Amino acid sequence: MGKIKLNNIRVHARHGCLKEESIIGSDYRVDLEVSADLATPSVSDNLSDTVDYVHLNNIVKEEMAIKSKLLEHVAKRILNRIFSEIESITIAEVSVSKINPPIGGDVESVSVIISSNK
């Protein structure tokens, strides 16, 4: 078993409950960690034997491009796609963070973290 992490995937997206958020958008950070059996690729050195992190990054970018009111909804969609498209992943955790959220205070970010087993 092993883990693959994608850290600080930065995207601009239009999530939120406020009308302005869906028009102007905000900056987001997504962190992703997945677990899979990495024994074979550690020996074979073949991309086809492992979890392709380019694929993971594309899932994150595509799901972040779909408007949602809640970060929880976006995070769950990302997890669902990961499990449906990449069979070898057994556990995944995704953190979706809104940078400078419009909550009436000096807050760097707000994050939702969801993890799931296959």
Side-chain angles (χ1 to χ4, degrees), residues 13-47:
R14 291 177 168 78
H15 306 303
C17 295
L18 301 175
K19 183 178 180 181
E20 295 80 18
E21 292 177 298
S22 68
I23 296 169
I24 299 168
S26 300
D27 291 324
Y28 292 84
R29 183 187 75 232
V30 179
D31 297 301
L32 180 62
E33 181 176 302
V34 299
S35 295
D37 184 354
L38 301 180
T40 299
S42 70
V43 174
S44 73
D45 198 28
N46 289 322
L47 179 61

Side-chain angles (χ1 to χ4, degrees), residues 34-78:
V34 299
S35 295
D37 184 354
L38 301 180
T40 299
S42 70
V43 174
S44 73
D45 198 28
N46 289 322
L47 179 61
S48 62
D49 292 333
T50 194
V51 176
D52 184 352
Y53 49 80
V54 172
H55 188 176
L56 291 171
N57 187 54
N58 287 336
I59 289 172
V60 169
K61 290 190 304 186
E62 289 168 9
E63 290 303 320
M64 288 297 290
I66 301 168
K67 289 182 188 180
S68 290
K69 292 179 185 172
L70 301 178
L71 298 181
E72 294 88 333
H73 189 253
V74 180
K76 182 62 174 163
R77 282 200 329 262
I78 291 169

Side-chain angles (χ1 to χ4, degrees), residues 95-106:
S95 171
V96 180
S97 303
K98 183 182 286 191
I99 310 302
N100 297 319
I103 59 175
D106 187 11

